[in-house]
Amino acid sequence: MGELLADHTTLRLGGPADRFLTHADPADWPSLAHSVRGERAAPFVLGGGSNTLAADAGYPGTVIRMATRGIIVRPLGDGLVEVVTQAGEPLSALVAFTVAEGLSGIEYLGGIPGTVGAAPVQNTGAYSQQISDTLTRITAYDWHLSRTVELRTAGCEFGYRTSAFKTQPGRWTILDIVLRLTLSPYAASVAYPHLAEALAVPLGARPPLAEAAQGVLNDRRNRGLRLPSRGPDARQVGSVFLNPPITRAQAATVRAADGPVYRDQNGRLRASAGWLLEQAGYHPATQVTPGVSCSTRRTLTLTAHNDATASSFGTALQTLASRVLATTTVRLTPEPVRPTSVESLAHS
Ligand SMILES: Cc1cc2nc3c(=O)[nH]c(=O)nc-3n(C[C@H](O)[C@H](O)[C@H](O)COP(=O)(O)OP(=O)(O)OC[C@H]3O[C@@H](n4cnc5c(N)ncnc54)[C@H](O)[C@@H]3O)c2cc1C
């Protein structure tokens, strides 16, 4: 039997991959790509598996797990530096490194599981900071063109938890990313009201870098936003739904019930998916389907237990979304990615 995806995802769900490759040395990429090119299905690329719901049947093709490590700092002058990071580097290790080096720009992304290479895919973000804010270039392998390309941020269609990598699955494998960070003893200004409260600073303040980074880790722990290594919440992918876009009429209804409404970076009105779930009657620890319940800390996180399957997790997502639609008229979109076979368009 092939390698089980359950062994490589934080939900610990998912059957075998037809073929499973680990990419650990950047120098090996050309031969690895050559060995996969021409396969019927595009390869599925896995980082830390912390945003992936793999099927019980596994993946009918090649899975490439990105395990390349390495961070290089290049001074640019005028207090700016470029940081080049390999795709398999854990995002939390990169954040800790930059904070220790006195580099500001990604300090609010600490405590998010997963790899650097996956961060551009859903434009990973927290506390009003997202990877696209400081990203300048990406080196990726383009499976359509069968060659390595350099992509500029402007062409990556970044938005709230989305990008071209998410909307065109199977097209690119991200090999490394380049961030432009600022040498500064201070963190980026606090733009998220809850963070201001947690750090006990006014909105717009720039707290000391290390204090801000530690404050984020503490706040994530207090709110059940860290991945525990054991216990009832250990098998999860974090938030299971995106904060949905809403109409003005829906926003008025949410506001009338004292619910939160905000505008995203593109000016779109959005509601809080967690608040909507609570309106639909869900709470921490509510069981949704066999083996799947809301986490003991937050309603928006689903956790898998011993008798969970990928199928029961998928049914739980559907159940929650249907109840929210029926109760509030708002349509929820799941956040975790389901590896599905995409036809390979590679010119072999
Ligand atoms: C406790 C917890 C808290 C979380 N908090 C947050 C949060 O605050 N904000 C947030 O945005 N997310 C959060 N997440 C979700 C998740 O951790 C992030 O989205 C993370 O960036 C995913 O990284 P990964 O390496 O685990 O991705 P994976 O699950 O391995 O992959 C996710 C997607 O990216 C693709 N991918 C992975 N690597 C590459 C690559 N090198 N090239 C091309 N495609 C690739 C995969 O094919 C898949 O489509 C949280 C998850 C958990 C469990």
Side-chain angles (χ1 to χ4, degrees):
M1 188 166 75
E3 184 91 11
L4 286 179
L5 296 181
D7 292 336
H8 300 280
T9 56
T10 55
L11 278 172
R12 291 180 230 152
L13 296 173
D18 278 1
R19 186 179 176 212
F20 189 92
L21 303 172
T22 296
H23 175 50
D25 182 348
D28 292 342
W29 180 259
S31 60
L32 187 151
H34 182 74
S35 82
V36 174
R37 219 158 44 210
E39 287 182 0
R40 198 178 42 78
F44 181 78
V45 183
L46 198 58
S50 66
N51 211 20
T52 296
L53 172 57
D56 296 313
Y59 186 72
T62 297
V63 171
I64 304 173
R65 185 175 73 88
M66 301 302 280
T68 47
R69 303 287 300 262
I71 304 173
I72 296 171
V73 178
R74 293 189 193 132
L76 293 175
D78 288 336
L80 294 173
V81 298
E82 265 193 354
V83 179
V84 186
T85 309
Q86 292 295 320
E89 191 72 45
L91 180 62
S92 56
L94 176 63
V95 174
F97 173 86
T98 58
V99 169
E101 295 290 310
L103 298 172
S104 164
I106 54 169
E107 53 277 11
Y108 299 136
L109 305 185
I112 302 177
T115 55
V116 162
V121 177
Q122 80 148 356
N123 195 12
T124 291
Y127 301 100
S128 295
Q129 191 171 68
Q130 51 211 340
I131 201 74
S132 64
D133 296 345
T134 47
L135 189 66
T136 56
R137 293 194 308 281
I138 289 176
T139 310
Y141 188 81
D142 185 328
W143 293 96
H144 288 196
L145 302 177
S146 298
R147 63 181 169 84
T148 300
V149 293
E150 194 159 282
L151 305 168
R152 299 269 156 184
T153 311
C156 296
E157 296 165 25
F158 287 117
Y160 163 72
R161 301 293 179 271
T162 190
S163 70
F165 308 105
K166 193 162 184 179
T167 55
Q168 297 178 57
R171 168 131 195 208
W172 294 281
T173 294
I174 294 170
L175 302 175
D176 65 51
I177 72 166
V178 182
L179 302 177
R180 182 169 296 187
L181 303 180
T182 311
L183 262 169
S184 171
Y186 297 104
S189 59
V190 175
Y192 190 74
H194 176 85
L195 181 62
E197 211 175 293
L199 297 175
V201 296
L203 267 180
R206 296 191 58 197
L209 187 58
E211 269 176 43
Q214 189 55 49
V216 160
L217 295 179
N218 296 344
D219 187 59
R220 292 188 76 97
R221 190 170 296 111
N222 293 341
R223 294 202 292 146
L225 287 165
R226 299 291 302 269
L227 183 63
S229 56
R230 62 178 81 85
D233 298 333
R235 295 171 59 187
Q236 53 153 299
V237 280
S239 302
V240 288
F241 293 107
L242 302 171
N243 284 339
I246 50 172
T247 62
R248 276 202 208 149
Q250 287 169 328
T253 311
V254 171
R255 284 195 185 105
D258 280 338
V261 172
Y262 71 99
R263 284 190 190 273
D264 68 17
Q265 71 214 78
N266 301 321
R268 256 181 125 174
L269 287 169
R270 288 187 184 268
S272 150
W275 183 84
L276 291 166
L277 287 176
E278 280 161 19
Q279 296 302 295
Y282 294 97
H283 300 286
T286 309
Q287 177 154 359
V288 186
T289 51
V292 182
S293 63
C294 298
S295 96
T296 62
R297 310 289 305 283
R298 49 192 307 261
T299 312
L300 187 52
T301 295
L302 287 182
T303 56
H305 306 284
N306 280 346
D307 43 347
T309 59
S311 160
S312 66
F313 200 92
T315 306
L317 292 175
Q318 276 168 10
T319 305
L320 295 180
S322 310
R323 280 274 288 274
V324 166
L325 182 64
T327 330
T328 68
T329 77
V330 178
R331 201 171 287 280
L332 292 178
T333 305
E335 182 176 314
V337 175
R338 292 173 189 238
T340 42
S341 182
V342 178
E343 194 188 336
S344 172
L345 297 175
H347 307 295
S348 50

